[in-house]
Amino acid sequence: MSEMKPAAVVVGVGPRAGLGAALCRRFAAGGLHAFVAGRSEEKLAEVVAEIASHGHEATAVVTDTTDEQHVRRLFERAGERARPLAAVLYNAGNNRFGNFAEMEASFFEEVWRLCCFGGFLVGREAARRMTPQGHGTVIFTGATASVRGKPPFSAFAAAKAGLRSVAQSMAREFGPAGIHVAHVIIDGGIDGDKIQHNFPEFAKAKGAHGLLGLDAIAETYWQLHRQDKTAWTFELDVRPFKEPF
């Protein structure tokens, strides 16, 4: 029987041409067993099949990250047979927008539950399992809205700012226990399925190298995971070289 590889749990995996899938591929290529978590069984299966085709290990776990029981089952699955938990990446979110004065309370709450509350649930389960082992990496995907609110993204900004505070609080509490918690601000459009299919004119206008590359972002996450504990980064931002800021 082959040696059991440590787990990398990636929450918020959608299409193969998406950041969640790119993170799964990179961490699996780095020698971890990727637990691929998202809502679409079909999309998860495609990501797992691609990883397996390159000789790496992955398991799909259909998960609603806003459901506490779903999140607990995900971590129980990843920890079966006492498998160590090396990394947890929270990538769930939906950049939805709406007019503030016309916004339904249910819309605001739905955005918050996915972008912030789900991050709390995942971060809590990660901390519960990593603290006894004395090591592990937890990385949260942020956005420009994490540090700057503007219309019509009030609900998204509130949720992302909340997630950033969750990450910062975790970093301060669990860093001394050996757990590296980081927050990555994605400042720009991602060259993936969502923008290419839904906003093709926007992607075209950005020109060559005007969008963030999926594999390049994933490599940044991997380097955070591999940082020496004497020089941990809590927060960094990534953007294309031509993106103004």
Side-chain angles (χ1 to χ4, degrees):
M1 182 180 295
S2 60
E3 182 180 356
M4 184 169 58
K5 296 180 178 180
V9 174
V10 184
V11 180
V13 181
R16 290 169 58 190
L19 179 54
L23 293 172
C24 291
R25 289 191 293 268
R26 182 62 186 89
F27 278 70
L32 304 181
H33 186 119
F35 284 83
V36 186
R39 296 188 181 188
S40 170
E41 184 174 6
E42 180 180 358
K43 291 177 180 178
L44 299 183
E46 291 177 354
V47 174
V48 168
E50 181 183 15
I51 291 172
S53 71
H54 289 90
H56 307 308
E57 297 181 8
T59 300
V61 185
V62 176
T63 305
D64 177 355
T65 191
T66 68
D67 186 309
E68 186 173 14
Q69 296 306 315
H70 274 228
V71 174
R72 284 177 172 169
R73 285 197 296 269
L74 167 63
F75 279 87
E76 289 168 0
R77 181 74 184 277
E80 288 177 350
R81 294 168 44 220
R83 182 191 300 273
L85 181 59
V88 173
L89 314 177
Y90 190 75
N91 185 60
N94 192 348
N95 189 356
R96 299 175 63 190
F97 55 88
N99 181 280
F100 189 88
E102 299 173 359
M103 187 177 297
E104 297 287 342
S106 58
F107 175 88
F108 187 95
E109 182 176 6
E110 182 181 348
V111 173
W112 171 80
R113 287 184 64 83
L114 180 60
C115 294
C116 185
F117 179 63
F120 154 71
L121 292 176
V122 169
R124 185 189 66 184
E125 295 306 310
R128 285 175 172 176
R129 288 159 175 79
M130 289 179 175
T131 300
Q133 66 185 24
H135 61 86
T137 305
V138 183
I139 305 177
F140 295 92
T141 297
T144 311
S146 302
V147 293
R148 185 184 71 193
K150 67 176 185 178
F153 302 100
S154 54
F156 183 65
K160 279 296 188 180
L163 180 68
R164 180 174 184 258
S165 289
V166 168
Q168 191 175 72
S169 298
M170 282 189 65
R172 288 175 166 148
E173 181 173 357
F174 297 105
I179 302 170
H180 182 191
V181 181
H183 180 254
V184 179
I185 296 173
I186 308 296
D187 185 25
I190 297 176
D191 189 10
D193 182 81
K194 183 175 180 179
I195 284 181
Q196 292 294 349
H197 287 181
N198 298 332
F199 307 99
E201 293 304 317
F202 172 83
K204 183 178 179 181
K206 284 295 183 179
H209 309 297
L211 298 173
L212 287 122
L214 291 169
D215 293 337
I217 302 172
E219 184 62 30
T220 297
Y221 280 60
W222 177 251
Q223 294 302 325
L224 280 172
H225 172 62
R226 297 289 294 169
Q227 278 186 328
D228 187 90
K229 64 174 58 179
T230 64
W232 275 352
T233 295
F234 164 65
E235 184 169 74
L236 57 78
D237 48 0
V238 292
R239 64 182 61 84
F241 75 99
K242 59 172 67 175
E243 182 76 21
F245 69 100

